[in-house]
Amino acid sequence: MATDTRFRQAHDYARHSGYLTGFPNFHQADYGQGVVFGTMLVRNGTAEYREVLRSQLGTSLSRQNVPDMMRAATSYAQANGYVGGLPTFHEANYGNGLVYGLFLYDSPSAEFRDVPTTELGDPDLADVGATFRAAHDYAIRKGYSAGFPTFHRANYGDGRGAVSGVVLLKQGATDPLDIPRSVLERYAPETAPRPSGRPRTSDESTRFKQIHHYARRNGFVGGFPTYRQRPRYQVFVEYEYELLQSPVARHDILQESMLGPLPHNAVYNAGGTLSRAVSDYAARVGLPGAFPSFTEGDFYSEQDYGVNLIRQRVTHRDVPSYILGNVHVDNVRKMYYEANEYAARHGFAAAVPTFHQANYGGTVVYGLLLFHPGATERRWLTVSELRS
């Protein structure tokens, strides 16, 4: 994995989690469940974001050269009255030349310090990981929440010897998080799983019907599967479901004329036409979203469709398909699974995919409905419990 990619992954993960930005401290560990990468999540209000023309930073600058990028960001920040700067390592061109994203840090959140290299372990500036680890460890020893190197080094002849620039972030500026490498790899298109092909036709309606009827028997409006599972007592398998109550949602019966023309077997196309149709219906009537209960024909005719209409405590978000594992948009199992994995990573209770997709500037995104904490009730059920 290219070093600059680590920065983009950390930044994007942080943004999806509601933080201002994030950056790697280049520590890693394996606690028995795979490699995790140390990541610093920067709280909102800690820094100022700015997109800066490459011509203002250095015409020959390349984001693949992390030390040069760090030095350029520091020089720009300090020339403009800030303590230091940290690139996101994202770049864009809006027609006036290449720009790089920078976060500019200032007091009271940050402090600049020239640190004797002997106190940092004299890391080789060509070794990005070692230099970042040294700055971070120094910051922690001195009571700060995090630190990052500027990659500037000097000797002022004052008896300290060689000193290296370090930007120290004060307590309350960052939150540390160990993120599995396999998760972070999803946050950059170059390291995400390769796109999967169109799935084979599979009827997922039975599972949706079962959880809907279970929910109604137990006083809920409806529910949906997350397609996560785990063993119980090393004998049974239990499956995760999310249940919805009023006023978060209500269940309604919609005629086909209210949804638009649908194929005769729409109920079996759980990830396609029917899901998109009920989502569009919700938008037309001013609701945040909806998903089908797949109870076609359970009511008055085969042209009546059961729909869970979501009324509140939900957020719509377009998420790049590569973050969701590049699964095919009509793969029901994987879309629900990936949507709920994403929700769990970023502080939501659960998620329902809308099965809509769009292309924004070459990036394919999938629509998700993300339920706020407390909006759903989770149940782990075996097959027999689901039917009881």
Side-chain angles (χ1 to χ4, degrees):
M1 183 192 304
T3 304
D4 60 299
T5 302
R6 290 276 297 274
F7 289 90
R8 290 192 291 279
Q9 291 169 339
H11 168 75
D12 287 5
Y13 184 97
R15 295 294 291 171
H16 281 269
S17 295
Y19 285 86
L20 182 66
T21 184
F23 60 91
N25 62 26
F26 285 92
H27 281 290
Q28 66 183 61
D30 188 337
Y31 304 115
Q33 296 184 338
V35 174
V36 294
F37 287 157
T39 305
M40 306 311 298
L41 305 175
V42 180
R43 296 182 182 179
N44 291 300
T46 300
E48 177 185 324
Y49 178 70
R50 190 175 296 183
E51 290 183 339
V52 181
L53 285 165
R54 183 171 67 173
S55 59
Q56 294 180 264
L57 297 173
T59 55
S60 62
L61 200 61
S62 168
R63 67 178 180 176
Q64 285 76 35
N65 190 325
V66 173
D68 278 356
M69 285 285 289
M70 294 297 297
R71 284 188 283 266
T74 300
S75 296
Y76 176 88
Q78 294 182 347
N80 286 274
Y82 294 89
V83 167
L86 186 64
T88 66
F89 290 85
H90 280 292
E91 63 184 22
N93 192 326
Y94 305 115
N96 294 314
L98 197 66
V99 295
Y100 292 126
L102 300 184
F103 278 98
L104 305 172
Y105 292 83
D106 202 359
S107 58
S109 300
E111 175 185 323
F112 174 80
R113 187 176 296 180
D114 275 329
V115 181
T117 58
T118 54
E119 293 188 43
L120 298 172
D122 199 21
D124 182 353
L125 293 182
D127 187 335
V128 173
T131 305
F132 261 85
R133 285 189 295 272
H136 174 80
D137 293 349
Y138 174 86
I140 299 302
R141 289 198 305 272
K142 297 299 182 180
Y144 294 85
S145 71
F148 59 85
T150 68
F151 285 83
H152 283 296
R153 184 168 287 176
N155 189 327
Y156 299 113
D158 56 6
R160 292 183 297 168
V163 295
S164 293
V166 176
V167 175
L168 302 165
L169 302 182
K170 297 182 181 180
Q171 290 294 333
T174 67
D175 292 317
L177 184 63
D178 285 337
I179 306 175
R181 175 176 180 165
S182 59
V183 170
L184 274 177
E185 286 175 344
R186 291 171 173 264
Y187 288 78
E190 60 266 36
T191 55
R194 295 175 63 85
S196 58
R198 178 176 291 276
R200 290 180 294 179
T201 302
S202 90
D203 178 11
E204 300 296 332
S205 62
T206 299
R207 182 171 291 194
F208 282 86
K209 286 181 180 180
Q210 288 174 337
I211 189 57
H212 174 75
H213 293 312
Y214 173 91
R216 302 292 281 187
R217 290 194 303 271
N218 288 274
F220 294 88
V221 170
F224 57 90
T226 68
Y227 289 93
R228 293 191 285 213
Q229 64 185 61
R230 66 187 185 189
R232 184 191 291 183
Y233 308 128
Q234 299 181 337
V235 176
F236 303 102
V237 176
E238 57 183 8
Y239 302 90
E240 185 184 56
Y241 297 92
E242 298 287 347
L243 304 175
L244 298 171
Q245 286 183 322
S246 178
V248 173
R250 76 172 192 267
H251 190 262
D252 209 345
I253 302 167
L254 303 181
Q255 296 179 334
E256 182 175 353
S257 60
M258 304 168 73
L259 296 174
L262 294 169
H264 176 70
N265 65 340
V267 74
Y268 302 117
N269 187 14
T273 307
L274 183 56
S275 292
R276 286 184 280 270
V278 300
S279 179
D280 291 345
Y281 172 83
R284 289 197 300 273
V285 299
L287 293 174
F291 65 96
S293 59
F294 302 104
T295 47
E296 177 191 38
D298 282 7
F299 306 103
Y300 307 113
S301 75
E302 291 188 358
Q303 281 68 50
D304 297 316
Y305 296 89
V307 177
N308 293 296
L309 298 168
I310 302 165
R311 304 165 68 183
Q312 58 181 254
R313 301 189 69 184
V314 71
T315 295
H316 177 271
R317 183 176 291 180
D318 286 332
V319 178
S321 61
Y322 57 81
I323 291 178
L324 299 175
N326 275 322
V327 300
H328 193 280
V329 72
D330 283 328
N331 189 321
V332 182
R333 287 174 174 266
K334 289 187 177 180
M335 281 291 287
Y336 267 86
Y337 177 83
E338 291 291 348
N340 281 280
E341 288 287 291
Y342 175 90
R345 290 196 298 268
H346 297 297
F348 294 93
V352 168
T354 69
F355 294 92
H356 276 294
Q357 63 179 328
N359 190 316
Y360 299 138
T363 298
V364 175
V365 296
Y366 293 158
L368 299 185
L369 297 171
L370 298 160
F371 290 94
H372 299 172
T376 67
E377 183 171 316
R378 183 167 300 149
R379 296 275 175 96
W380 287 90
L381 304 169
T382 63
V383 172
S384 60
E385 290 171 338
L386 182 63
R387 294 172 178 171
S388 63

